[in-house]
Amino acid sequence: MNVLILLATILFILMAVVGGKKGIKSFIALLLNFAVVIATVLMMNDPNANPILLTLVACGIISAISLFYINEINSKTKMAFLATIITSLLLLTFIFFITEKSMIYGFSEEESDSLTIFSSRIGIDFVKVATSVIIMSTIGAIVDTAISITSPMREIHEQNPDITRKDLFMSGIRIGRDILGTSSNTLFFAFFGGYMGLIIWFKDLSYSMGEIVNSKVFSEEMITILTAGIGVALVIPIAAAITAYHLVSFKHSKE
């Protein structure tokens, strides 16, 4: 606990020194989002609760905190929030389908030994829980990409008010292409960084490459990463289209 407090203190000091007031707000937003996640997990313990609905509400709150609390309510955060919600809803059905067909829900074979003393009849739909986990895992990357698209697009429009909607949209797409590569690499290496111990364990158990790829615990994380990548790729044209339409239409309405 002392180590966690020390690291949190160092993070807060660095964010305050480097980011100033916005850095402090970002740290507070991190704590608020953590509280939202914990509250969502606790509410899932109710057998009558719908994990997917709870997760969607939580993602909406997390997006609002990350966008509106840190960057205030303005055109770029409104468009980023709308793009995030639309992308999440589009991914929902796809994630549920993939989760059910791939059968990655529940506990893996590697985790079964430590769970033998517990009852698996807990009255919760593990398909919905697995879907919720993937949705929650993708929301951060989607929000980050959305604001990274809408913010420079607004700056481009302010510097060039006469830009056409098509040119502004294409500017957003070009920005998104640069973000897409780095975001995909971040998601990919975050998996291998967090699961390096698991990969070493696979090696010690002499798992073949086929056994590694087909293991539930590996497949679950890879599906999460790939789904997050799909979400990042989807939010780029959605955010660019919404922002271009809003900024150009708003300009015309003022005229």
Side-chain angles (χ1 to χ4, degrees):
M1 181 60 72
N2 292 334
V3 174
L4 296 178
I5 294 175
L6 177 62
L7 291 175
T9 303
I10 294 173
L11 176 62
F12 174 76
I13 293 172
L14 289 175
M15 293 179 74
V17 172
V18 176
K21 182 179 178 181
K22 183 167 286 190
I24 296 174
K25 292 176 70 175
S26 298
F27 184 83
I28 296 173
L30 181 63
L31 297 179
L32 292 174
N33 287 335
F34 179 74
V36 171
V37 173
I38 295 299
T40 303
V41 173
L42 292 177
M43 285 188 286
M44 286 182 185
N45 287 331
D46 185 353
N48 297 320
N50 188 325
I52 295 178
L53 181 59
L54 287 174
T55 302
L56 288 176
V57 173
C59 287
I61 297 173
I62 290 171
S63 300
I65 293 173
S66 301
L67 294 171
F68 300 138
Y69 177 71
I70 298 176
N71 299 292
E72 302 179 347
I73 301 177
N74 49 55
S75 59
K76 65 180 181 182
T77 54
K78 289 179 181 178
M79 295 303 102
F81 181 78
L82 181 58
T84 299
I85 297 301
I86 292 174
T87 304
S88 299
L89 292 175
L90 288 175
L91 279 176
L92 177 59
T93 304
F94 174 75
I95 291 173
F96 187 84
F97 175 79
I98 290 295
T99 301
E100 188 173 23
K101 294 299 181 182
S102 61
M103 294 188 291
I104 60 171
Y105 48 86
F107 299 104
S108 65
E109 180 182 353
E110 292 78 14
E111 299 167 321
S112 59
D113 290 341
S114 59
L115 296 170
T116 53
I117 62 174
F118 299 103
S119 173
S120 59
R121 299 181 180 180
I122 58 177
I124 297 177
D125 189 340
F126 275 98
V127 178
K128 292 181 179 179
V129 172
T131 303
S132 299
V133 169
I134 296 177
I135 295 173
M136 192 71 74
S137 301
T138 61
I139 191 66
I142 292 173
V143 171
D144 182 60
T145 304
I147 192 65
S148 298
I149 297 294
T150 60
S151 182
M153 285 184 68
R154 192 179 73 164
E155 294 298 323
I156 292 172
H157 183 262
E158 289 179 353
Q159 296 298 320
N160 186 10
D162 296 325
I163 190 172
T164 63
R165 183 179 297 162
K166 180 180 178 181
D167 290 340
L168 185 59
F169 171 77
M170 292 307 300
S171 297
I173 294 296
R174 285 191 291 270
I175 295 169
R177 287 170 180 166
D178 294 333
I179 297 171
L180 184 60
T182 55
S183 297
S184 300
N185 280 322
T186 300
L187 294 169
F188 181 75
F189 286 109
F191 164 74
F192 281 101
Y195 278 80
M196 186 65 71
L198 176 65
I199 296 172
I200 294 173
W201 186 57
F202 281 151
K203 179 180 179 296
D204 291 339
L205 292 178
S206 300
Y207 272 42
S208 66
M209 182 58 65
E211 288 174 325
I212 293 175
V213 172
N214 287 286
S215 65
K216 182 182 290 187
V217 64
F218 182 86
S219 299
E220 181 180 359
E221 292 303 319
M222 286 304 299
I223 288 174
T224 301
I225 293 171
L226 294 173
T227 305
I230 292 172
V232 169
L234 275 178
V235 78
I236 290 172
I238 292 174
I242 292 173
T243 305
Y245 179 83
H246 171 75
L247 292 177
V248 175
S249 298
F250 182 69
K251 171 180 175 294
H252 290 163
S253 65
K254 290 201 305 183
E255 296 175 351

